[in-house]
């Protein structure tokens, strides 16, 4: 079986104006031929400008969400086709902030992933338990149910990446123990329809903890929020992944 190529994905969330594109340019200059895949997911307003800033280099571009329809009367939404048209090759779906802020269900995530596939985008599908669920010992039940219902039929290594992101670790500076990450990844991996699907960890990954997270077996990279905003910080994470 071919090795799963590692990937460092940056989620800029609702951060970034035109001036922030200098960070993307710096990252691009630092990694002309990276040993891992690199993905940046800026807000939709920056997509086409970031495509130009990345200038056909090695860094891929992604959206942070898409609608399940190709077009229509959905004020404020963006379709997968529009993301692809703006230069994206990937889209994050089912991020816990979307699930919490917009009440997105796993069934809706699966429909969006179908739309992403139809538009030729790779879906980065997020799953993860809340602190309450974690403390109640329900982590495995929650993430396996989310995975089962968020994955569309036909998901495979070419069109899908999964990110395990415990909600309580996102933006908090807290991370699970290596044993906890390993346990969840092992359980998720056993349920993937294709063994080539990459499985990322996300939640407070930074330059200081990246190497120890990437040393965990079954971690194929990271989905990074805050530490992806600066080329220097994200670059250190990319280097740790290259060295893992
Ligand atoms: C995220 O937004 O997916 C994330 C993991 O954020 P942070 O790295 O800031 O915890």
């Amino acid at each position: 079986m071919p090795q799963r190529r590692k990937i460092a994905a940056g989620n800029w969330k609702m951060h970034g104006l035109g001036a922030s594109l200098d960070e993307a340019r710096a990252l691009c200059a630092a990694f002309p031929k990276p040993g891992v895949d690199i993905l940046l997911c800026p807000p939709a307003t920056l997509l086409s400008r970031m495509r130009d800033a990345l200038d056909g280099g090695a860094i891929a571009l992604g959206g942070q969400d898409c609608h399940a329809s190709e077009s229509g009367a959905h004020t404020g939404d963006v379709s997968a086709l529009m993301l692809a048209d703006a230069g994206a090759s990937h889209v994050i779906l089912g991020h816990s902030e979307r699930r919490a802020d917009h009440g997105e269900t796993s069934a809706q995530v699966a429909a969006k992933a179908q739309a992403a596939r139809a538009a030729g985008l790779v879906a980065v599908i997020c799953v993860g338990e809340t602190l309450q669920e974690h403390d109640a010992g329900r982590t495995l039940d929650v993430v396996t149910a989310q995975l089962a219902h968020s994955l569309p039929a036909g998901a495979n290594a070419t069109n899908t990446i999964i990110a395990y992101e415990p909600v309580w670790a996102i933006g908090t500076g807290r991370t699970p123990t290596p044993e906890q990450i390993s346990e969840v990844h092992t359980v998720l991996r056993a349920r993937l329809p294709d063994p080539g699907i990459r499985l990322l960890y996300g939640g407070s990954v930074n330059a200081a903890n990246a190497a120890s997270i990437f040393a965990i077996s079954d971690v194929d990279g990271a989905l990074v929020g805050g530490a992806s905003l600066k080329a220097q910080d994200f670059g250190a994470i990319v280097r740790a992944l290259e060295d893992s």
Side-chain angles (χ1 to χ4, degrees), residues 6-239:
K6 304 204 165 150
I7 175 165
N11 173 15
W12 279 19
K13 313 193 188 198
M14 200 173 73
H15 296 290
L17 301 173
S20 321
L21 293 171
D22 283 346
E23 299 297 333
R25 287 190 195 94
L27 194 70
C28 207
F31 294 96
K33 284 192 181 167
V36 298
D37 289 344
I38 306 175
L39 170 66
L40 281 181
C41 301
T45 49
L46 285 182
L47 275 173
S48 50
R49 280 183 283 168
M50 188 177 281
R51 174 199 55 204
D52 295 343
L54 296 175
D55 199 24
I59 300 178
L61 188 67
Q64 298 178 9
D65 177 51
C66 70
H67 197 276
S69 301
E70 255 186 31
S71 62
H74 303 291
T75 303
D77 280 320
V78 174
S79 76
L81 204 59
M82 291 168 180
L83 295 177
D85 186 52
S89 53
H90 293 65
V91 59
I92 298 170
L93 294 174
H95 191 283
S96 60
E97 288 153 13
R98 302 268 340 155
R99 291 180 190 261
D101 296 355
H102 301 272
E104 278 187 15
T105 64
S106 292
Q108 286 169 324
V109 174
K112 290 176 178 211
Q114 288 275 20
R117 184 156 96 232
L121 300 180
V122 177
V124 181
I125 298 176
C126 304
V127 298
E129 82 285 5
T130 63
L131 184 59
Q132 205 182 13
E133 290 161 343
H134 171 78
D135 289 347
R138 297 189 51 229
T139 297
L140 295 178
D141 289 345
V142 170
V143 298
T144 54
Q146 285 180 339
L147 183 74
H149 296 112
S150 301
L151 273 176
N156 62 32
T158 309
N159 56 38
T160 305
I161 295 169
I162 302 297
Y164 167 53
E165 298 205 305
V167 179
W168 52 274
I170 294 179
T172 60
R174 290 181 63 191
T175 53
T177 64
E179 292 72 26
Q180 287 171 326
I181 296 175
S182 179
E183 182 186 24
V184 174
H185 277 230
T186 302
V187 167
L188 289 176
R189 164 114 11 243
R191 285 163 171 75
L192 294 178
D194 177 344
I197 291 180
R198 291 175 286 181
L199 198 43
L200 312 184
Y201 168 76
S204 294
V205 176
N206 57 40
N209 64 19
S212 60
I213 289 170
F214 297 148
I216 302 167
S217 71
D218 258 326
V219 172
D220 300 319
L223 180 54
V224 183
S228 70
L229 293 170
K230 294 280 172 218
Q232 202 178 352
D233 299 340
F234 196 42
I237 293 170
V238 172
R239 264 179 227 105

